Amino acid sequence: MSESLIIRRLGRQPYEPVLEAMRAFTNARDEGTPDEFWVLEHDPVFTLGQAGKPEHVLAAGEIPVIRVERGGQVTYHGPGQIVGYPLINLRRLGIGVRELVERIEQAIIDTLEHWNIMAERRKGAPGVYVGDAKIGALGLRVRRGCSFHGLALNVGMDLEPFLRINPCGFQGLRVTQVLDLGGPGSISQVEDVLVAELARQFGFTPQPGAAELPTPVAADAATSIA
């Protein structure tokens, strides 16, 4: 019998309360805590990973820039993009970080294939690409054998903010989205498929969870740099 994966569909959320809830969930969980997958849209925000260089933020304007502990460089989150946070006990599954990344990438690739969008991964550049353009980004952290942070899949959004950064630290990297490649612009439609594909990759049975954050939110651990 497969393990359950609790699915929290959180709708549109500001970034920092979700970040705090994700940290709190990861810090408080034990060996018996069920794994969860949070799917949502964020209000506009740029995030800088551990290796992120502020100079890759070219012109943030009114969009806040938040430094966080995930891997990777700078990326953008905003309405029309699915953000997914797989909160998974890797030790319990018996997998490592590389396999975690590959399975998440494959879940995105298989999701896009539902609409005949042929995507692929690139060696040395985590994420998912269609031709020479990036459509899905990954930025993960593992603490005490458990993953947090996660993935972003562009569905039907304003891509202009990506021009204000060097996405993932690559100058001039093109960015694309599902809608522009002949797929749906509906977040819920793509979300349904992504949830199913991610659960399949890890051998989980998805179970609906509450459409709210699971823990009280502290407001002091995220650091704004702009």
Side-chain angles (χ1 to χ4, degrees):
M1 183 175 177
S2 64
E3 295 279 348
S4 293
L5 180 68
I6 306 302
I7 310 298
R8 293 184 188 265
R9 298 176 185 259
L10 299 174
R12 181 167 169 176
Q13 297 277 346
Y15 184 78
E16 289 176 289
V18 178
L19 174 65
E20 295 306 324
M22 181 169 53
R23 288 170 172 166
F25 177 89
T26 302
N27 289 337
R29 68 180 302 172
D30 59 28
E31 283 304 309
T33 303
D35 294 321
E36 300 198 3
F37 184 44
W38 301 358
V39 282
L40 60 142
E41 298 172 79
H42 276 308
D43 295 340
V45 64
F46 296 116
T47 67
L48 270 175
Q50 280 187 307
K53 298 178 180 179
E55 58 264 33
H56 288 308
V57 181
L58 308 176
E62 74 287 358
I63 299 175
V65 182
I66 307 294
R67 183 176 286 280
V68 294
E69 68 271 65
R70 64 164 173 79
Q73 293 273 346
V74 63
T75 195
Y76 169 72
H77 300 310
Q81 177 194 68
I82 296 173
V83 176
Y85 295 127
L87 307 175
I88 294 174
N89 187 326
L90 304 185
R91 292 174 182 164
R92 191 162 58 203
L93 281 183
I95 67 173
V97 175
R98 176 171 294 183
E99 190 169 352
L100 171 70
V101 169
E102 289 177 350
R103 291 192 191 192
I104 293 172
E105 288 174 337
Q106 194 61 49
I108 296 173
I109 290 168
D110 291 346
T111 295
L112 295 170
E113 193 173 355
H114 279 252
W115 296 284
N116 297 313
I117 298 170
M118 298 298 106
E120 61 186 5
R121 55 174 62 89
R122 283 185 181 176
K123 187 175 181 179
V128 174
Y129 300 80
V130 178
D132 63 351
K134 193 165 192 174
I135 192 168
L138 272 68
L140 296 157
R141 179 69 185 265
V142 174
R143 180 179 293 164
R144 298 186 298 119
C146 297
S147 66
F148 62 118
H149 292 281
L151 65 97
L153 175 60
N154 306 332
V155 178
M157 62 189 302
D158 178 7
L159 296 176
E160 185 276 333
F162 285 104
L163 299 176
R164 306 190 197 182
I165 60 174
N166 291 328
C168 305
F170 294 102
Q171 183 177 2
L173 177 65
R174 290 185 58 240
V175 175
T176 189
Q177 58 184 336
V178 174
L179 182 62
D180 293 346
L181 295 169
S186 163
I187 285 286
S188 61
Q189 188 175 351
V190 179
E191 193 176 272
D192 288 344
V193 176
L194 178 63
V195 165
E197 292 293 350
L198 186 116
R200 186 173 67 85
Q201 280 296 319
F202 291 94
F204 287 126
T205 299
Q207 299 289 340
E212 59 186 12
L213 296 173
T215 56
V217 172
D220 57 357
T223 304
S224 176
I225 65 169

